[in-house]
Each structure stands twice: as structure tokens, then as C-alpha cells.
């Protein structure tokens, strides 16, 4: 997708209105339009990167620092009981908007949301085979 057609570029630049909860020179943090829970927010870099693979290292580092800052704010202001960071890359992983973003999802006891996976039970040999594929 071309940057000019990217909705999150337009939102991050303030060309499309959003419920902004934080902004600086590099990022805008907005409320998700379809929140999983009260306070579900999205960290958007102002520079376009489709996903984590394309994100500049510097922006990645700053995004995680900002995630921590916003997590503390959500905890302190909304008194949530927990918080998930979610970051999807690729359609298979659930990415629907091709502009890198981090979800901040406050969690409340009994909120009924399901963000976790179903664990499998590989053997030690299977785990070792995977380790060899990935390790240096
Ligand atoms: P993804 O599935 O790509 O990780 O997440 C995209 C998120 O963006 C979804 O949670 C969706 O609700 C949210 N979203 C999509 N379009 C808009 C929009 O125009 N404004 C806002 N605030 N959120 C959006
Ligand atoms: Zn974009």
C-alpha cells in the first residue's frame, strides 16, 4: 500500500481526527475505534512502516519506551488489573491495518476478553529441532 493511502499515516499526522491521548514529534497514541476493553489504545509512529520488520531500530526502541509510559498512565488513571501489549504482523497474525502499531489493552477482572493462545505439548526433541532452526 502507498503511504498516501494509509489511514494510520493520516490519523498520526492529524489529517483525520482521532481520540488522541498522547502526542509528541514521533508518535500519536489514540483510542481504538473498536476497543477490546475500556482504554484500549494504539501507539502509532508518525513515520510510515508497514510492520515490525520495516520499523527503524530507533523507532522500535522509542515505541517500547512509550509503551511503558502509556502502560503506567493507563494503570494509574483507569485502575486496570492488568494490561496486554499486542503487536500483529501480517494478515495471518491478525494485522488489519498495514502501518505498524502497538495495542495497549487494559485488562479488568472478569472482562471476558481472550487474547491468549492454546498451548501445544511438543516433545523435547521437537523443541530441540526448532531451537536449531532459530538459534545462532
Ligand atoms: P490490527 O488488527 O491491525 O492489529 O489492529 C487494527 C486496529 O485498528 C483494530 O483494533 C481496529 O479496531 C483499529 N482501527 C481500525 N481503523 C481505525 C480507525 O480509523 N481509527 C481508530 N481509532 N482505530 C481504528
Ligand atoms: Zn502509514
Amino acid at each position: 500500500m502507498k503511504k498516501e493511502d494509509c489511514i494510520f499515516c493520516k490519523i498520526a499526522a492529524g489529517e483525520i481526527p482521532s481520540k488522541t491521548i498522547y502526542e509528541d514529534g514521533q508518535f500519536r497514541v489514540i483510542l481504538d475505534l473498536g476497543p477490546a476493553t475500556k482504554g484500549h489504545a494504539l501507539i502509532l509512529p508518525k513515520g510510515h512502516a508497514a510492520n515490525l520488520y520495516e520499523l527503524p531500530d530507533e523507532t522500535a526502541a522509542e515505541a517500547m519506551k512509550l509503551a511503558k509510559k502509556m502502560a503506567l498512565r493507563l494503570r494509574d488513571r483507569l485502575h486496570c488489573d492488568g494490561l496486554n501489549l499486542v503487536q500483529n504482523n501480517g494478515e495471518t497474525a491478525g494485522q488489519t491495518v498495514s502501518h505498524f502499531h502497538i495495542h495497549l489493552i487494559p485488562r479488568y477482572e472478569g472482562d471476558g476478553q481472550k487474547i491468549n493462545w492454546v498451548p501445544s505439548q511438543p516433545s523435547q526433541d521437537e523443541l530441540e529441532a526448532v531451537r536449531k532452526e532459530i538459534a545462532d
Side-chain angles (χ1 to χ4, degrees):
M1 184 208 285
K2 280 191 296 174
K3 192 181 155 186
E4 305 84 73
D5 301 328
C6 175
I7 185 156
F8 279 5
C9 274
K10 290 182 179 146
I11 290 174
E15 290 163 18
I16 293 178
S18 63
K19 297 290 185 203
T20 296
I21 59 173
Y22 175 89
E23 186 184 2
D24 62 25
Q26 252 192 308
F27 297 97
R28 183 185 292 270
V29 185
I30 63 171
L31 292 181
D32 196 296
L33 269 187
T37 62
K38 178 184 173 186
H40 181 167
L42 303 171
I43 294 178
L44 311 181
K46 291 187 174 179
H48 181 81
N51 48 43
L52 183 62
Y53 314 123
E54 294 185 5
L55 196 67
D57 284 356
E58 172 85 355
T59 313
E62 291 300 322
M64 189 50 77
K65 276 203 251 177
L66 180 55
K68 180 188 171 187
K69 180 188 177 91
M70 297 313 300
L72 289 169
R73 191 193 289 189
L74 291 169
R75 183 193 68 177
D76 294 347
R77 304 272 186 96
L78 299 179
H79 309 292
C80 50
D81 303 305
L83 184 134
N84 292 110
L85 286 190
V86 176
Q87 200 281 304
N88 300 323
N89 297 284
E91 267 180 52
T92 306
Q95 185 176 14
T96 58
V97 180
S98 293
H99 176 121
F100 173 89
H101 51 281
I102 298 174
H103 294 259
L104 291 148
I105 307 177
R107 300 302 303 276
Y108 306 90
E109 267 183 50
D111 65 27
Q113 281 295 345
K114 287 193 173 48
I115 293 168
N116 298 325
W117 54 89
V118 180
S120 57
Q121 294 184 311
S123 66
Q124 284 297 309
D125 284 351
E126 286 167 329
L127 281 177
E128 179 58 11
V130 176
R131 190 193 69 76
K132 280 186 181 148
E133 277 193 67
I134 304 167
D136 291 330

